[in-house]
Amino acid sequence: MAKSDKALVWGLFAAGGTVTAFVTPVLVVLTLLPALGVLPDVLTYDSLRAFADATLGRLAIVAIVVLSLWHAAHRLRITLHDFGVRADYAVAVVVYVAAAVGSLAAGWYALAL
Amino acid sequence: MTVKPYVRAVPRYTWFLAHSRYLRYITREVTCVFIGAYAFLMLVGLKRLAEGREAWEAFVQALASPASLVFHVAVLAFALYHTTSWFNVTPKAMPIQLGDGFVPGRVIVGAHYAIWIVLSLAVLILAGVF
Amino acid sequence: MSQRLVELEVLRFNPETDAEPTFQRYAVECPEEWVVLDALNHIKETVDPTLSYRWSCHMAVCGSCGMMINGEPKLSCKSFLRDYEGVIRVEPLAHFPIQRDLVTVIDDFVTKLKRVKPYLVAGEARPVEAGEYRQTPAQLKTYKQYTLCINCMLCYAACPEYGLEPKFIGPAAISLAHRYNLDSRDAGREARQQEIAATEGVWECSFVGACSEVCPEHVDPAGALQQVKIKSTLDWFREHLMPWRRT
Amino acid sequence: MNSSPNRRTPTGSGVNYRNAEVERILETLHADVAILGAGGAGLRAAIALAQESPALRIALVSKVYPMRSHTCAAEGGAAGVIKGDDSLEHHFNDTVGGGDWLCDQDAVDYLVREAPRELIQLEHWGCPWSREPDGSVAVRPFGGMKKQRTWFAADKSGFHILHTLFQTSLQFPSIERYDEYYATDLIVDDGRCRGFTAIEMRSGQMKCFLARAVIIASGGAGRMFPFTTNGAIKTGDGMALAYRAGVPLKDMEFVQYHPTGLPNTGTLLTEACRGEGGVLLNRHGRRFLQDYGMGPETPLGKAVLKTMELGPRDRVSQAFWHDQRKGNMVGTQWGDCMLLDMRHLGEKKIDERLPLVRDMAISYLGVDPVTDPVPVRPVVHYMMGGIDTDIRAATPLPGLFAAGECACVSINGANRLGSNSLTELLVFGRRAALSALEFLDSSPAAGNAGVLAARAGEAQARLRELFGRSGETETVAGLRRELTTTMEEHAGIYRSGEGLAEACATLADLRRRYRSVTLHDKTNVYNTDLLQALELGCMLDCAEAVTASALARRESRGAHQRLDFTERDDANFLRHSLACYRGDEAPAIDYRDVVITRSPPGVRDYSGEQK
Ligand SMILES: Cc1cc2nc3c(=O)[nH]c(=O)nc-3n(C[C@H](O)[C@H](O)[C@H](O)COP(=O)(O)OP(=O)(O)OC[C@H]3O[C@@H](n4cnc5c(N)ncnc54)[C@H](O)[C@@H]3O)c2cc1C
Ligand code: SF4
Ligand code: F3S
Ligand code: FES
C-alpha cells in the first residue's frame, strides 16, 4: 500500500488544534467584551492597526486564522463521517477548498493592510 | 459446509449514543464547528480592518449585538472544551522520556495549562482589559 | 465465603440453528469473589454445557476471554462479580462477527497483524556468536509499554472507527508496529510505514481514545497511534518539501 | 527450487503425497512436517524448519491461536549461562542435582550448552529482556540455581517469549497455520507416524493432516488436578495421542507443585518473588524452611542462592506440607496457607520487577504485597514426565518427534528447576525440527494409501460414535470432577501405596464410564462440549499413567514422595519409568536406565552452610 497524503492535512489540523487550544478562548473573550459594553483597547482601530503593522503581529494574525481554518476543516470532515455522511471524497474537497480559499483570503487581506 | 457467522451492523447515524465516552468524543469533534465559525469571524474582521477605520468600527459595533453575545458564549464554551480535551491528551501524543522513565503525564498536562493561563493573562493585559 | 445469586443475560447464537442471536438468562449461586468467567464456567458445568466461549489462562495474559460485559469490552477473567449489580449482560466482543455464542471470528485482526510486520527487522545480520545487542534500560523503556499487548482485541471492540470502517488496521496492530519502530535494534520502520501510514492505517483513527480506556494491559494504543501520526507527518513534510533530506 | 542458502533441500516439497484414498474420506491437508501445538516449543520448531529449509511446507496446528498458548503464563524467566561468574558446569550440576539425579546427563549437557545461544537468538528476534545499566541482559536468581542465570522480561517472561516467537514466525510464508484445530488421533502406518486427524473447530469438520514427519509440542497436563496454575488448555492431549499410538509416557509420576499459588484461584506468584528477596513465613512469623533442611536463616531481603526460599520447588512444597501437619499454617477460607512476605522489598522494586504479581495479588485476592504478606499455598504446576523422547527429541515411533512440556527428554528428572522449562522449549523445539529434517532426508517413502485412509476413517468413526451416543448418564463435568478430586487426594505432594492403588482403581473405573459419556451439544460449530469431552479422555489416560507409575515407584525422589517408602532408592529406581498403553487395561510399567555421564547420584544439599 502507499503512504497517504493525509499527513499534510493532518499536520495542519494538529498545528491548528494546538494554536486554537492556546489562543481561541482568550480571543473569544476579547471579542465578546463589546457585547458586554466594554471595548478593550486592542479592539480600537488604531491599536489594532499598530499591532498589525508590525511584521510579527501581522504574521501572528494570519497564522492564527489560517491554522484555525485548517483545524476546523479537517475535523469537520471526520465529524461528518462520524455522523454518517459517507461521501468522504466530496466532503474533503469542499472543506479543504473552503479552508484554502479562506487562507488565501487571509493572506490577501493581510497584504492589503 | 458453510455456516455463516453473524455480523452485527454498527448503527450508522446513532452509534455515538451508545456510550458516554462516545458522546464525549463527538462533543469534542463538534467543537470544530465553533472553532471554524470563529475563524470565519476573524477572517471577516481582518477584511474589515483592511478596508479601513470605518469598516472596522462598524464591525466592532456589530460585535456589541445580543446575537454576537450568544454566538460568543457558545464559541467560548466549545473552545474551552476543545482546549481541555486537547491538553489532556498531550502526554499520549508526545510523551517525554527522561532517562529510564517518562515525565509523568500530569506534569506535561499541567505545564500546558500553566502556559495557557499565563499566555491568556498576558494577552488580556496587553490588550488593555485590566 | 459469602455467596450471591448472580443473574447473567448471555447472548446466544448458533449458526446452524438460529437466524439471529437471542439473550438467555441464567441464575447461579456464586461466591462473591468470583469473576464473570468463573460464573460462566459454573453455568457450563452445571446448567448448560452447550454455552461456548474462549478462555484459558484465568490470569489476564492469554487474551482469549474478551467479552462485552454490560456493554463494556472486558476480559471476563478479570471482571469481578463484586463490581456488578443486578443482571449482568454478557455479549461477544463488538465489531467482530459472531461465530457461535460468545466466540467471535478474529481472522481480520490476525491478517492485519501480519501485514504490519510485527517482528524485528535487523539493519545488518547479526550472528548469534556476536552476543546480544546492547540496549540500555532507557532504550528498553522507550518501547516496553507497547510490547505488553495480549492481542485481546478489546480495543477493536471499543473503537468506533473500526466499527464504521472495518478496513482500518486498528489500534493493537499499529501499536505493535510502533513497538518495533521504537526498538533500538530495529531497522524496519520504512517497510512498516507502507502499511501503517496508508489511508487504512493510522489515518482512520480519529483519536477517540476508547482503545486506551479499555485496554487491560495499559498499552495505550491511542498514544501509539498519535505518535505514529506525528512521525508520519514529519516524514511527509520531509519527503515532499525537503526532497534533499529524504532518507 | 533450492533457495536455502545454508542447506541442501532434497527434502523440499517436490515430493507428491497427495493421497486420493484418504481424500475420499476426509479433507486432507499435506505438509512435509506437521507440528501439533503452537506454544513456545511448537513455534520454535516451526521457525527452525522454515529457516533451515525454506522450501518445506510446514503445518502448524493448534487448538488455540498461538498467542493463547500457555507459554504466555510463564512469569519468572529462562535459564542460560551468560555472565562471567557462571559456567556450563554449574548449570549442569544444579539441574542434575535439582532433578534428584533422574536427569539424563547427556541431555542436560545439550540443554545447558545450547541455552545461551537460544536466548541470544531470541534477543536478536526482539525479545524485550530486562537489562543491566550497561545494556547487557540482566539475570535474576532462581530456586535451586547456584548462580544468577535466569533471563527475564520483568515478570512476563513467557509472555514475551511466546509473542516474540509468534511475531517472528509471521515472516515465514512457509509456515502455514491452522489455528483452532483440535488434534484427535495420530495416524500410524507401517511403524511410522504419518500425520494426524484434527477437528476444525469453526466448522466441526474433521480434517486429515498427512505429513512426512510430525512434531508434538502440545504442552502439559496440569488440568488433571483441581488446583493448578495451568490454563484450561493444558489437558495432556498430545501426550495421550502419542501414548495411544504406542509411545511410552516417561516418568509421569513426577508432578511438580509450585509452592506459591494464590489460594483461591491457583494463580501463580512466580518464584522470582523469592528470587527478588521475598520470604515465606508460617503462622508464627517464622521462616519455617530453616526447620526442614534449608537453613540457616538468610538475611531478610537478601536472597541467598540455593538455600532457604531459593531451595528447589519440591523441597519447599514438602516443607509446607510438614509444617502444615504441625498446625503452623495460617487458616484461611481456602484452606491452610503460608505467607509470602515481600513488604521489605518496597514499592519501587515490586513495581519494577514484579508488576504482574502485585496486580494479580491485589485483584484476585485483595492483598497488596507492598503493604501485606500474601497467603499462598502449593499448587500443581508442571509435568516433569511426558512423551518418551531421546536426546534428539525423537520418540521411539519413527517420524514422531516431541518437544516442550509434553515431552520427557529427561532434563528435568524428578524435579524441574524453575526457569529450565522455557529454555527447554527453545532448545528442544529447535532440536525436534532438526531431527525431523534429518528424518525427511533419510526416508522419503510415502505411506500405504489404503491403510492411511482406514486410519483416518477410524478416527472419524470414533468421533461419530461419540456424537451419536444418547441416553447415557455420564457427563463430562461429572467425570472430570471425579478425576480431579481423585488426583488431588491420592497423587499430591505426598503419596502412599494404598492411596495410589485406590486412585488406579478409580481411574480404571472412570475410563470405563467415560465410554458412555454423552454430549449435550450435538451441533458442529465451535462445539466446546465435544472438545471438553475429548480433552477429558486425554486427561484420564494421562492420569492413569501418573498413578500407575507412581504406584510402581516404591521410593521417594524429587517431586515423588511416598509416605511408605521415604528414602531414595538408587539401587532399584535410578531408572526412568515408562508407562505403556494397553487399551482398556491399566498401563504396563517398564523401566530404562538413567544416562549418567559424570555426576554420580549424590546428596541434595540446600542448607546454606556448605558454601
Ligand atoms: C503459570 C506458569 C508459570 C510458569 N513459569 C515458568 C518460568 O518462569 N520459567 C520456566 O522455565 N517455565 C515456566 N513455566 C513452565 C512453562 O511455561 C511451560 O512448561 C511451557 O510454557 C510449556 O510450553 P509448550 O510449548 O510445551 O506448551 P504450551 O505453551 O502449553 O502450548 C501447547 C500448544 O499445544 C496446543 N495443543 C494442545 N493440545 C492440542 C490438540 N489436541 N490439538 C491441537 N493443538 C493442541 C495448544 O493449542 C498450544 O498451542 C510456567 C508454567 C506456568 C503454568
Ligand atoms: S492494545 Fe490492549 S486492548 Fe488492544 S489488543 Fe492489545 S492488550 Fe488488548
Ligand atoms: S479508539 Fe479508535 S479512533 Fe483511534 S484512538 Fe483508539 S484507535
Ligand atoms: S482467560 Fe486468559 S485472558 Fe482471560
Side-chain angles (χ1 to χ4, degrees), chain D residues 36 40-42 45 215-219 387 389 393-395 401-409 424-433:
Chain D
L36 196 173
I215 299 174
I216 302 187
S218 61
I387 303 169
T389 67
T395 73
F401 303 84
E405 191 172 341
C406 68
C408 179
V409 256
E424 178 187 0
L425 307 180
L426 302 166
V427 170
F428 288 97
R430 172 163 173 276
R431 182 66 244 210

PDB file of all heavy atoms in Angstrom, chain D residues 36 40-42 45 215-219 387 389 393-395 401-409 424-433:
ATOM      1  N   LEU D  36       2.127 -30.245  15.991  1.00  0.00           N
ATOM      2  CA  LEU D  36       0.894 -30.249  16.766  1.00  0.00           C
ATOM      3  C   LEU D  36       1.132 -29.412  18.020  1.00  0.00           C
ATOM      4  O   LEU D  36       1.777 -29.861  18.959  1.00  0.00           O
ATOM      5  CB  LEU D  36       0.542 -31.701  17.130  1.00  0.00           C
ATOM      6  CG  LEU D  36      -0.856 -32.055  17.602  1.00  0.00           C
ATOM      7  CD1 LEU D  36      -0.975 -33.563  17.726  1.00  0.00           C
ATOM      8  CD2 LEU D  36      -1.239 -31.402  18.903  1.00  0.00           C
ATOM      9  N   GLY D  40       5.418 -22.240  22.891  1.00  0.00           N
ATOM     10  CA  GLY D  40       6.829 -21.923  22.715  1.00  0.00           C
ATOM     11  C   GLY D  40       7.557 -22.989  21.902  1.00  0.00           C
ATOM     12  O   GLY D  40       8.279 -22.679  20.952  1.00  0.00           O
ATOM     13  N   ALA D  41       7.363 -24.248  22.261  1.00  0.00           N
ATOM     14  CA  ALA D  41       8.103 -25.317  21.598  1.00  0.00           C
ATOM     15  C   ALA D  41       7.685 -25.461  20.137  1.00  0.00           C
ATOM     16  O   ALA D  41       8.530 -25.570  19.243  1.00  0.00           O
ATOM     17  CB  ALA D  41       7.886 -26.630  22.339  1.00  0.00           C
ATOM     18  N   GLY D  42       6.389 -25.428  19.874  1.00  0.00           N
ATOM     19  CA  GLY D  42       5.910 -25.600  18.507  1.00  0.00           C
ATOM     20  C   GLY D  42       6.357 -24.467  17.598  1.00  0.00           C
ATOM     21  O   GLY D  42       6.785 -24.687  16.455  1.00  0.00           O
ATOM     22  N   ALA D  45      10.063 -24.724  16.838  1.00  0.00           N
ATOM     23  CA  ALA D  45      10.315 -25.770  15.849  1.00  0.00           C
ATOM     24  C   ALA D  45       9.950 -25.271  14.452  1.00  0.00           C
ATOM     25  O   ALA D  45      10.703 -25.456  13.496  1.00  0.00           O
ATOM     26  CB  ALA D  45       9.508 -27.017  16.199  1.00  0.00           C
ATOM     27  N   ILE D 215       5.731 -33.362  14.666  1.00  0.00           N
ATOM     28  CA  ILE D 215       6.320 -32.939  15.941  1.00  0.00           C
ATOM     29  C   ILE D 215       5.180 -32.609  16.895  1.00  0.00           C
ATOM     30  O   ILE D 215       4.312 -31.790  16.564  1.00  0.00           O
ATOM     31  CB  ILE D 215       7.211 -31.687  15.755  1.00  0.00           C
ATOM     32  CG1 ILE D 215       8.362 -31.993  14.796  1.00  0.00           C
ATOM     33  CG2 ILE D 215       7.741 -31.217  17.118  1.00  0.00           C
ATOM     34  CD1 ILE D 215       9.197 -30.771  14.441  1.00  0.00           C
ATOM     35  N   ILE D 216       5.168 -33.240  18.050  1.00  0.00           N
ATOM     36  CA  ILE D 216       4.151 -32.882  19.047  1.00  0.00           C
ATOM     37  C   ILE D 216       4.754 -31.869  20.009  1.00  0.00           C
ATOM     38  O   ILE D 216       5.858 -32.069  20.532  1.00  0.00           O
ATOM     39  CB  ILE D 216       3.668 -34.115  19.831  1.00  0.00           C
ATOM     40  CG1 ILE D 216       3.101 -35.159  18.869  1.00  0.00           C
ATOM     41  CG2 ILE D 216       2.595 -33.713  20.834  1.00  0.00           C
ATOM     42  CD1 ILE D 216       2.442 -36.324  19.576  1.00  0.00           C
ATOM     43  N   ALA D 217       4.054 -30.774  20.215  1.00  0.00           N
ATOM     44  CA  ALA D 217       4.508 -29.736  21.148  1.00  0.00           C
ATOM     45  C   ALA D 217       3.274 -29.200  21.858  1.00  0.00           C
ATOM     46  O   ALA D 217       2.973 -28.018  21.835  1.00  0.00           O
ATOM     47  CB  ALA D 217       5.224 -28.617  20.398  1.00  0.00           C
ATOM     48  N   SER D 218       2.561 -30.116  22.474  1.00  0.00           N
ATOM     49  CA  SER D 218       1.214 -29.774  22.932  1.00  0.00           C
ATOM     50  C   SER D 218       1.126 -29.376  24.398  1.00  0.00           C
ATOM     51  O   SER D 218       0.035 -29.193  24.915  1.00  0.00           O
ATOM     52  CB  SER D 218       0.297 -30.975  22.676  1.00  0.00           C
ATOM     53  OG  SER D 218       0.783 -32.067  23.421  1.00  0.00           O
ATOM     54  N   GLY D 219       2.258 -29.255  25.070  1.00  0.00           N
ATOM     55  CA  GLY D 219       2.218 -28.733  26.438  1.00  0.00           C
ATOM     56  C   GLY D 219       1.818 -29.759  27.476  1.00  0.00           C
ATOM     57  O   GLY D 219       1.700 -30.952  27.199  1.00  0.00           O
ATOM     58  N   ILE D 387       5.978 -37.531  26.909  1.00  0.00           N
ATOM     59  CA  ILE D 387       6.252 -38.442  25.800  1.00  0.00           C
ATOM     60  C   ILE D 387       7.732 -38.804  25.796  1.00  0.00           C
ATOM     61  O   ILE D 387       8.597 -37.926  25.833  1.00  0.00           O
ATOM     62  CB  ILE D 387       5.869 -37.771  24.466  1.00  0.00           C
ATOM     63  CG1 ILE D 387       4.400 -37.344  24.495  1.00  0.00           C
ATOM     64  CG2 ILE D 387       6.163 -38.701  23.298  1.00  0.00           C
ATOM     65  CD1 ILE D 387       3.998 -36.452  23.336  1.00  0.00           C
ATOM     66  N   THR D 389      11.153 -39.250  24.744  1.00  0.00           N
ATOM     67  CA  THR D 389      11.996 -38.889  23.600  1.00  0.00           C
ATOM     68  C   THR D 389      13.444 -39.078  23.979  1.00  0.00           C
ATOM     69  O   THR D 389      13.791 -39.071  25.152  1.00  0.00           O
ATOM     70  CB  THR D 389      11.827 -37.412  23.161  1.00  0.00           C
ATOM     71  OG1 THR D 389      12.347 -36.576  24.197  1.00  0.00           O
ATOM     72  CG2 THR D 389      10.395 -37.064  22.892  1.00  0.00           C
ATOM     73  N   ALA D 393      15.156 -35.504  20.527  1.00  0.00           N
ATOM     74  CA  ALA D 393      13.730 -35.175  20.553  1.00  0.00           C
ATOM     75  C   ALA D 393      12.899 -36.144  19.731  1.00  0.00           C
ATOM     76  O   ALA D 393      11.764 -35.859  19.370  1.00  0.00           O
ATOM     77  CB  ALA D 393      13.458 -33.729  20.098  1.00  0.00           C
ATOM     78  N   ALA D 394      13.474 -37.296  19.438  1.00  0.00           N
ATOM     79  CA  ALA D 394      12.752 -38.318  18.668  1.00  0.00           C
ATOM     80  C   ALA D 394      12.085 -39.299  19.621  1.00  0.00           C
ATOM     81  O   ALA D 394      12.657 -39.687  20.631  1.00  0.00           O
ATOM     82  CB  ALA D 394      13.722 -39.057  17.757  1.00  0.00           C
ATOM     83  N   THR D 395      10.886 -39.703  19.292  1.00  0.00           N
ATOM     84  CA  THR D 395      10.203 -40.731  20.072  1.00  0.00           C
ATOM     85  C   THR D 395      10.571 -42.090  19.474  1.00  0.00           C
ATOM     86  O   THR D 395      11.132 -42.151  18.375  1.00  0.00           O
ATOM     87  CB  THR D 395       8.675 -40.566  20.009  1.00  0.00           C
ATOM     88  OG1 THR D 395       8.243 -40.968  18.704  1.00  0.00           O
ATOM     89  CG2 THR D 395       8.249 -39.137  20.266  1.00  0.00           C
ATOM     90  N   PHE D 401       8.214 -36.824  16.608  1.00  0.00           N
ATOM     91  CA  PHE D 401       9.133 -36.113  17.490  1.00  0.00           C
ATOM     92  C   PHE D 401       8.294 -35.356  18.509  1.00  0.00           C
ATOM     93  O   PHE D 401       7.105 -35.125  18.288  1.00  0.00           O
ATOM     94  CB  PHE D 401      10.000 -35.162  16.668  1.00  0.00           C
ATOM     95  CG  PHE D 401      10.750 -35.879  15.588  1.00  0.00           C
ATOM     96  CD1 PHE D 401      10.141 -36.155  14.363  1.00  0.00           C
ATOM     97  CD2 PHE D 401      12.036 -36.343  15.808  1.00  0.00           C
ATOM     98  CE1 PHE D 401      10.804 -36.865  13.373  1.00  0.00           C
ATOM     99  CE2 PHE D 401      12.712 -37.056  14.829  1.00  0.00           C
ATOM    100  CZ  PHE D 401      12.100 -37.316  13.607  1.00  0.00           C
ATOM    101  N   ALA D 402       8.918 -34.998  19.617  1.00  0.00           N
ATOM    102  CA  ALA D 402       8.158 -34.251  20.617  1.00  0.00           C
ATOM    103  C   ALA D 402       9.082 -33.308  21.362  1.00  0.00           C
ATOM    104  O   ALA D 402      10.271 -33.612  21.559  1.00  0.00           O
ATOM    105  CB  ALA D 402       7.467 -35.210  21.585  1.00  0.00           C
ATOM    106  N   ALA D 403       8.544 -32.160  21.750  1.00  0.00           N
ATOM    107  CA  ALA D 403       9.350 -31.184  22.483  1.00  0.00           C
ATOM    108  C   ALA D 403       8.454 -30.332  23.355  1.00  0.00           C
ATOM    109  O   ALA D 403       7.261 -30.200  23.103  1.00  0.00           O
ATOM    110  CB  ALA D 403      10.121 -30.304  21.496  1.00  0.00           C
ATOM    111  N   GLY D 404       9.067 -29.748  24.368  1.00  0.00           N
ATOM    112  CA  GLY D 404       8.316 -28.883  25.271  1.00  0.00           C
ATOM    113  C   GLY D 404       7.815 -29.680  26.458  1.00  0.00           C
ATOM    114  O   GLY D 404       8.303 -30.777  26.745  1.00  0.00           O
ATOM    115  N   GLU D 405       6.831 -29.134  27.130  1.00  0.00           N
ATOM    116  CA  GLU D 405       6.379 -29.771  28.365  1.00  0.00           C
ATOM    117  C   GLU D 405       5.758 -31.142  28.112  1.00  0.00           C
ATOM    118  O   GLU D 405       5.777 -32.013  28.969  1.00  0.00           O
ATOM    119  CB  GLU D 405       5.374 -28.862  29.090  1.00  0.00           C
ATOM    120  CG  GLU D 405       5.081 -29.367  30.498  1.00  0.00           C
ATOM    121  CD  GLU D 405       4.241 -28.416  31.333  1.00  0.00           C
ATOM    122  OE1 GLU D 405       4.168 -27.215  30.983  1.00  0.00           O
ATOM    123  OE2 GLU D 405       3.661 -28.876  32.327  1.00  0.00           O
ATOM    124  N   CYS D 406       5.198 -31.369  26.925  1.00  0.00           N
ATOM    125  CA  CYS D 406       4.565 -32.659  26.647  1.00  0.00           C
ATOM    126  C   CYS D 406       5.592 -33.774  26.554  1.00  0.00           C
ATOM    127  O   CYS D 406       5.262 -34.939  26.673  1.00  0.00           O
ATOM    128  CB  CYS D 406       3.768 -32.599  25.347  1.00  0.00           C
ATOM    129  SG  CYS D 406       4.807 -32.431  23.890  1.00  0.00           S
ATOM    130  N   ALA D 407       6.849 -33.389  26.309  1.00  0.00           N
ATOM    131  CA  ALA D 407       7.873 -34.395  26.091  1.00  0.00           C
ATOM    132  C   ALA D 407       8.670 -34.632  27.367  1.00  0.00           C
ATOM    133  O   ALA D 407       8.650 -33.821  28.280  1.00  0.00           O
ATOM    134  CB  ALA D 407       8.814 -33.942  24.980  1.00  0.00           C
ATOM    135  N   CYS D 408       9.345 -35.752  27.412  1.00  0.00           N
ATOM    136  CA  CYS D 408      10.268 -36.001  28.502  1.00  0.00           C
ATOM    137  C   CYS D 408      11.588 -36.441  27.902  1.00  0.00           C
ATOM    138  O   CYS D 408      11.790 -37.605  27.611  1.00  0.00           O
ATOM    139  CB  CYS D 408       9.693 -37.068  29.443  1.00  0.00           C
ATOM    140  SG  CYS D 408      10.778 -37.461  30.814  1.00  0.00           S
ATOM    141  N   VAL D 409      12.469 -35.466  27.643  1.00  0.00           N
ATOM    142  CA  VAL D 409      13.828 -35.790  27.205  1.00  0.00           C
ATOM    143  C   VAL D 409      14.667 -36.101  28.403  1.00  0.00           C
ATOM    144  O   VAL D 409      15.838 -36.416  28.289  1.00  0.00           O
ATOM    145  CB  VAL D 409      14.571 -34.606  26.553  1.00  0.00           C
ATOM    146  CG1 VAL D 409      14.634 -34.745  25.090  1.00  0.00           C
ATOM    147  CG2 VAL D 409      14.106 -33.289  27.022  1.00  0.00           C
ATOM    148  N   GLU D 424      14.117 -25.183  27.825  1.00  0.00           N
ATOM    149  CA  GLU D 424      13.910 -26.486  27.184  1.00  0.00           C
ATOM    150  C   GLU D 424      13.049 -26.360  25.923  1.00  0.00           C
ATOM    151  O   GLU D 424      13.318 -26.987  24.901  1.00  0.00           O
ATOM    152  CB  GLU D 424      13.246 -27.441  28.181  1.00  0.00           C
ATOM    153  CG  GLU D 424      12.952 -28.813  27.590  1.00  0.00           C
ATOM    154  CD  GLU D 424      12.149 -29.701  28.534  1.00  0.00           C
ATOM    155  OE1 GLU D 424      11.821 -29.253  29.653  1.00  0.00           O
ATOM    156  OE2 GLU D 424      11.829 -30.830  28.144  1.00  0.00           O
ATOM    157  N   LEU D 425      12.008 -25.535  26.002  1.00  0.00           N
ATOM    158  CA  LEU D 425      11.131 -25.356  24.841  1.00  0.00           C
ATOM    159  C   LEU D 425      11.936 -24.930  23.629  1.00  0.00           C
ATOM    160  O   LEU D 425      11.735 -25.411  22.514  1.00  0.00           O
ATOM    161  CB  LEU D 425      10.116 -24.232  25.058  1.00  0.00           C
ATOM    162  CG  LEU D 425       9.237 -24.216  26.278  1.00  0.00           C
ATOM    163  CD1 LEU D 425       8.347 -23.005  26.204  1.00  0.00           C
ATOM    164  CD2 LEU D 425       8.450 -25.487  26.313  1.00  0.00           C
ATOM    165  N   LEU D 426      12.832 -23.963  23.885  1.00  0.00           N
ATOM    166  CA  LEU D 426      13.587 -23.393  22.777  1.00  0.00           C
ATOM    167  C   LEU D 426      14.603 -24.397  22.260  1.00  0.00           C
ATOM    168  O   LEU D 426      14.663 -24.691  21.066  1.00  0.00           O
ATOM    169  CB  LEU D 426      14.293 -22.113  23.253  1.00  0.00           C
ATOM    170  CG  LEU D 426      13.377 -21.026  23.813  1.00  0.00           C
ATOM    171  CD1 LEU D 426      14.169 -19.972  24.561  1.00  0.00           C
ATOM    172  CD2 LEU D 426      12.581 -20.387  22.682  1.00  0.00           C
ATOM    173  N   VAL D 427      15.391 -24.939  23.183  1.00  0.00           N
ATOM    174  CA  VAL D 427      16.473 -25.822  22.774  1.00  0.00           C
ATOM    175  C   VAL D 427      15.918 -27.067  22.087  1.00  0.00           C
ATOM    176  O   VAL D 427      16.362 -27.445  20.998  1.00  0.00           O
ATOM    177  CB  VAL D 427      17.331 -26.212  23.996  1.00  0.00           C
ATOM    178  CG1 VAL D 427      18.319 -27.321  23.636  1.00  0.00           C
ATOM    179  CG2 VAL D 427      18.063 -24.983  24.531  1.00  0.00           C
ATOM    180  N   PHE D 428      14.939 -27.691  22.708  1.00  0.00           N
ATOM    181  CA  PHE D 428      14.451 -28.943  22.122  1.00  0.00           C
ATOM    182  C   PHE D 428      13.373 -28.716  21.065  1.00  0.00           C
ATOM    183  O   PHE D 428      13.153 -29.588  20.226  1.00  0.00           O
ATOM    184  CB  PHE D 428      14.037 -29.922  23.215  1.00  0.00           C
ATOM    185  CG  PHE D 428      15.238 -30.486  23.926  1.00  0.00           C
ATOM    186  CD1 PHE D 428      15.678 -29.934  25.126  1.00  0.00           C
ATOM    187  CD2 PHE D 428      15.969 -31.512  23.361  1.00  0.00           C
ATOM    188  CE1 PHE D 428      16.813 -30.430  25.759  1.00  0.00           C
ATOM    189  CE2 PHE D 428      17.108 -32.020  23.985  1.00  0.00           C
ATOM    190  CZ  PHE D 428      17.534 -31.476  25.193  1.00  0.00           C
ATOM    191  N   GLY D 429      12.746 -27.572  21.070  1.00  0.00           N
ATOM    192  CA  GLY D 429      11.868 -27.230  19.950  1.00  0.00           C
ATOM    193  C   GLY D 429      12.695 -27.191  18.677  1.00  0.00           C
ATOM    194  O   GLY D 429      12.351 -27.791  17.646  1.00  0.00           O
ATOM    195  N   ARG D 430      13.831 -26.523  18.755  1.00  0.00           N
ATOM    196  CA  ARG D 430      14.709 -26.453  17.586  1.00  0.00           C
ATOM    197  C   ARG D 430      15.270 -27.823  17.260  1.00  0.00           C
ATOM    198  O   ARG D 430      15.328 -28.238  16.109  1.00  0.00           O
ATOM    199  CB  ARG D 430      15.838 -25.467  17.867  1.00  0.00           C
ATOM    200  CG  ARG D 430      16.901 -25.451  16.801  1.00  0.00           C
ATOM    201  CD  ARG D 430      17.764 -24.208  16.880  1.00  0.00           C
ATOM    202  NE  ARG D 430      18.883 -24.304  15.955  1.00  0.00           N
ATOM    203  CZ  ARG D 430      20.016 -24.938  16.237  1.00  0.00           C
ATOM    204  NH1 ARG D 430      20.172 -25.512  17.410  1.00  0.00           N
ATOM    205  NH2 ARG D 430      20.980 -24.990  15.348  1.00  0.00           N
ATOM    206  N   ARG D 431      15.665 -28.535  18.309  1.00  0.00           N
ATOM    207  CA  ARG D 431      16.258 -29.857  18.090  1.00  0.00           C
ATOM    208  C   ARG D 431      15.267 -30.777  17.375  1.00  0.00           C
ATOM    209  O   ARG D 431      15.622 -31.504  16.456  1.00  0.00           O
ATOM    210  CB  ARG D 431      16.671 -30.443  19.445  1.00  0.00           C
ATOM    211  CG  ARG D 431      17.345 -31.789  19.415  1.00  0.00           C
ATOM    212  CD  ARG D 431      18.684 -31.719  18.735  1.00  0.00           C
ATOM    213  NE  ARG D 431      18.677 -32.531  17.519  1.00  0.00           N
ATOM    214  CZ  ARG D 431      19.721 -33.149  17.006  1.00  0.00           C
ATOM    215  NH1 ARG D 431      20.897 -33.030  17.591  1.00  0.00           N
ATOM    216  NH2 ARG D 431      19.617 -33.876  15.921  1.00  0.00           N
ATOM    217  N   ALA D 432      14.006 -30.725  17.784  1.00  0.00           N
ATOM    218  CA  ALA D 432      12.994 -31.574  17.146  1.00  0.00           C
ATOM    219  C   ALA D 432      12.892 -31.242  15.661  1.00  0.00           C
ATOM    220  O   ALA D 432      12.763 -32.130  14.808  1.00  0.00           O
ATOM    221  CB  ALA D 432      11.639 -31.384  17.822  1.00  0.00           C
ATOM    222  N   ALA D 433      12.996 -29.955  15.346  1.00  0.00           N
ATOM    223  CA  ALA D 433      12.927 -29.544  13.947  1.00  0.00           C
ATOM    224  C   ALA D 433      14.097 -30.121  13.166  1.00  0.00           C
ATOM    225  O   ALA D 433      13.933 -30.668  12.068  1.00  0.00           O
ATOM    226  CB  ALA D 433      12.922 -28.021  13.855  1.00  0.00           C
TER     227      ALA D 433
END
